[in-house]
Structures are given as structure tokens and as C-alpha cells.
Amino acid sequence: MNLAAATNENLAHTSNVLIYSSMAVYTLAFFAHIAEWVFGSRSKVGRTAAALTGADAGADASVKVQVAQKGGGTAVLDRPKIVTRSAAGSRDVPDGPGAAGGTFKGDLYGRMAISMTVLAFLVQVGGVLARALSVQRAPWGNMYEFSITFSTVAVGAYLILLALKKNVRWMGLLLVTTVLLDLGIATTVLYTSSDQLVPALHSYWLWIHVSTAIICGAVFYIGAVATLLYLFRDSYESKLANGGQPGSFAQSVLSRLPAASTLDKFSYRVNAAVFPLWTFTIIAGAIWAGDAWGRYWGWDPKEVWSFITWVAYACYLHARATAGWKGRKAAYLALIAFGCWLFNYYGVNIFVTGKHSYAGV
């Protein structure tokens, strides 16, 4: 074994160690987020915010919520800014107080979870870079490399939103859980030893086309999480508005989420922002196919499902602009569109044979 081969093997081993280390830190972040939600469930702020609907919520956005503190004193918390829902059946409801529920311990564990998520993200970035150095190419030539890079970008997008002061900390537990599942599948089922690719993939388009596909998938994932939670929160608000009594789970968890209006707008803006990049991804893939295979479009399964995904998201964006399809109907379309993206990645790569199969699992 020459020196270069030994170096590459050591880098591949380092990459594996770093990926497993990031999983360990993500696990700590997972438990910290659990503690955040547990301590937040004891907050009276969450129950007070949950009881506010319709005219009560829209009357005065500057109303203060009084929270009893030890010793008989009180602390005044600003109620989150009220946002009018753009979906059908407009309802003015304030955002929930967040996973921590306004409690000191909940907020402390939430901050610990974010800190550990940042550390795990940095370790995971190191693992992806070490993998790239070991193969001396872009670290997304097979499903294992795509998976570890995808989850890295998803966490990075989440941390960027946090750095921009966006209200997304409620997503932390779901994100960390998904990342752990993704890395668990990648390291046990999808793992592929470091190797070079077939000549057709040796192109600068590998950096352009696949990197944009990863970014789109990560952002689509964030939009899908917000859409799914929107459906739950919308049902919760509807039950309150109709005089119903939500169950204990809804009172404890759903009451602390952002209002349905906030989740609806967030998911729409995220999906709309990344849709042009997904369009570019398909165009870039067609150009690369022309260079590699001598044709721009050949109805390969991966090409077909990429286009189906594009159509699904286009239908969702169009539905959001159509009065009769706003709200829950559009949300269902968004989830179907993300399901198409997931099948395009996992289903097509594993169960369908095509020109994109030669990269290996």
C-alpha cells in the first residue's frame, strides 16, 4: 500500500469516527430537547396562550401575560406578535410560548440542546470534509455520502434560521430525531467504502447538480415539518374556536407551537424560496446528462421523479395562490410533494434500476 492510499484510508476512518461522534452529541441534544419540552409542559403561560382564540387574541397584541413566581411576585412576559393567517378561514391566534413554555429550566435545557446541536453539526461537517478528502472528490457520489451531507445541510439551514432570529426552536426536537434516524440508516444500511466514481460522474456538474439537490431537499424537509405541524395546530385551534376541549397532549404540546398562521406562512415561504433552485437542479442535471450520455432527457426513473416532484411543488405553490385551495388542502399537496422527493431519493435509488444506479448504494 503506497502512502497516498494509506492516507486516504486514514481519512476515511477519521470520517467514520467523526460521523459516529456527531451521532453521540446529537443524542445528547435529543435528550436536552426532551427535557425542554418536559419542563415547558409545567408552564402556565402555555395554558394561558392556548385559551386565547378569535376576538380574544385579536383584540390587543400588546397584552401582557402575568405569570406567578415564587415569593408572590410576578413577571411580565410580552405575548408573541399576532399574525393573521393567510389561509382559508382566517383566525387570529397568538403564537405559543415555545417548547420551554416560558420556564427558566425549560429555556436552560433548550439552550443546552442548541449548543450541543451546534457542536454536533461542526463535528459532522468535519466528517463530511474528511470523506471528501479521502475520495478526492465531492462527498456525495453515493447514497451514504448523500445522506450524511443532506442531514448536515438540514441542520445548517436550521442553525442559520436561528442565527437570523427566526422563531424555529420548536423544530429542534423533530430535526435532531430525524438527523439521528438519517445517520443511523446511513451508517448501517447505506454505508459504502470510499471509492472513485465511474467516468461519467467525473465532472464539475457533480458539484453543481448534486449540491443544489441536497440543499433543496434539506429546505424542503424544513418546509414539510412546518406543514405537518401546521395541520396539527390548525386542528387544535379549530377545536378551541368551536368550543371543544382538546386532549391533554394538545394542551401540553400543541399549545406551545407557533400559531397555525405562522406555520402556514413559514412553510409556504420556505418552499417558494427554494423552488427556483429545484428548477435549476433539474436543468443542471439535463445539461450534465447531455455531456455524459449525449442526450438531455431520456425518461430515466430519476429524471421522471425529479420532474414529478417539480410538478407537485408547482401545484402546491399554485394552490396557495388560489382562494379555494389555501390552508389544509394546500398543506396536503406540500406533504405529497415532499413524499415525491423522498421517493425520488430512497425509492428510485433502491428499488428502481436506471442510469443513476451505477453510483451504488
Side-chain angles (χ1 to χ4, degrees):
M1 181 182 297
N2 57 38
L3 180 60
T7 301
N8 292 340
E9 184 176 341
N10 289 334
L11 286 171
H13 176 70
T14 300
S15 173
N16 295 339
V17 171
L18 290 174
I19 294 299
Y20 279 108
S21 299
S22 70
M23 292 175 66
V25 183
Y26 278 128
T27 301
L28 296 177
F30 170 80
F31 285 115
H33 274 301
I34 290 291
E36 177 187 19
W37 281 94
V38 169
F39 283 106
S41 67
R42 304 174 183 179
S43 171
K44 293 182 180 179
V45 177
R47 290 193 293 272
T48 303
L52 298 171
T53 58
D56 293 334
D60 185 5
S62 63
V63 174
K64 311 297 182 179
V65 179
Q66 303 291 329
V67 183
Q69 303 292 329
K70 292 182 179 179
T74 60
V76 181
L77 301 179
D78 290 331
R79 181 182 298 170
K81 182 181 179 181
I82 297 171
V83 181
T84 303
R85 190 172 69 172
S86 59
S90 181
R91 193 168 51 235
D92 292 342
V93 179
D95 288 339
T103 63
F104 174 78
K105 283 189 176 180
D107 184 67
L108 176 62
Y109 279 107
R111 292 178 183 275
M112 291 172 59
I114 296 301
S115 298
M116 285 183 282
T117 301
V118 172
L119 176 59
F121 168 73
L122 295 176
V123 174
Q124 189 178 4
V125 168
V128 173
L129 292 177
R131 178 76 176 195
L133 292 173
S134 70
V135 294
Q136 299 179 2
R137 56 168 171 78
W140 42 72
N142 51 57
M143 287 187 69
Y144 167 74
E145 294 173 356
F146 190 100
S147 293
I148 63 174
T149 307
F150 166 78
S151 56
T152 304
V153 175
V155 176
Y158 168 70
L159 295 178
I160 289 174
L161 290 173
L162 282 177
L164 294 175
K165 307 298 183 181
K166 302 298 182 181
N167 178 20
V168 294
R169 206 166 94 176
W170 46 268
M171 191 184 294
L173 178 59
L174 281 175
L175 176 73
V176 170
T177 303
T178 305
V179 169
L180 284 171
L181 290 173
D182 175 73
L183 292 179
I185 294 173
T187 54
T188 57
V189 178
L190 303 178
Y191 181 77
T192 304
S193 300
S194 301
D195 199 3
Q196 292 301 316
L197 301 177
V198 296
L201 294 182
H202 285 289
S203 170
Y204 61 87
W205 284 108
L206 177 65
W207 291 90
I208 300 173
H209 171 63
V210 184
S211 64
T212 55
I214 292 173
I215 294 172
C216 289
V219 178
F220 281 148
Y221 161 76
I222 290 177
V225 170
T227 302
L228 183 63
L229 293 180
Y230 156 75
L231 291 173
F232 284 107
R233 174 76 188 201
D234 185 67
S235 296
Y236 167 76
E237 292 179 7
S238 296
K239 181 172 288 188
L240 284 176
N242 294 326
Q245 182 62 34
S248 57
F249 174 82
Q251 289 284 7
S252 175
V253 176
L254 298 182
S255 63
R256 285 178 276 160
L257 292 176
S261 61
T262 303
L263 293 170
D264 178 59
K265 288 182 178 180
F266 176 79
S267 60
Y268 169 67
R269 289 169 180 172
V270 164
N271 288 325
V274 79
F275 181 73
L277 187 61
W278 182 248
T279 304
F280 171 78
T281 300
I282 296 176
I283 295 173
I287 296 174
W288 187 10
D291 291 342
W293 303 320
R295 92 294 187 275
Y296 294 102
W297 190 267
W299 298 103
D300 180 76
K302 179 71 71 171
E303 297 170 349
V304 171
W305 275 96
S306 295
F307 180 67
I308 290 175
T309 303
W310 184 90
V311 171
Y313 273 108
C315 289
Y316 161 71
L317 295 177
H318 178 72
R320 286 293 272 98
T322 304
W325 276 84
K326 289 182 179 179
R328 299 183 69 86
K329 291 181 180 179
Y332 293 139
L333 281 177
L335 292 179
I336 291 173
F338 183 68
C340 292
W341 188 91
L342 283 179
F343 182 79
N344 185 36
Y345 173 53
Y346 285 104
V348 172
N349 283 30
I350 295 175
F351 302 111
V352 182
T353 301
K355 283 185 172 294
H356 288 77
S357 301
Y358 52 35
V361 174

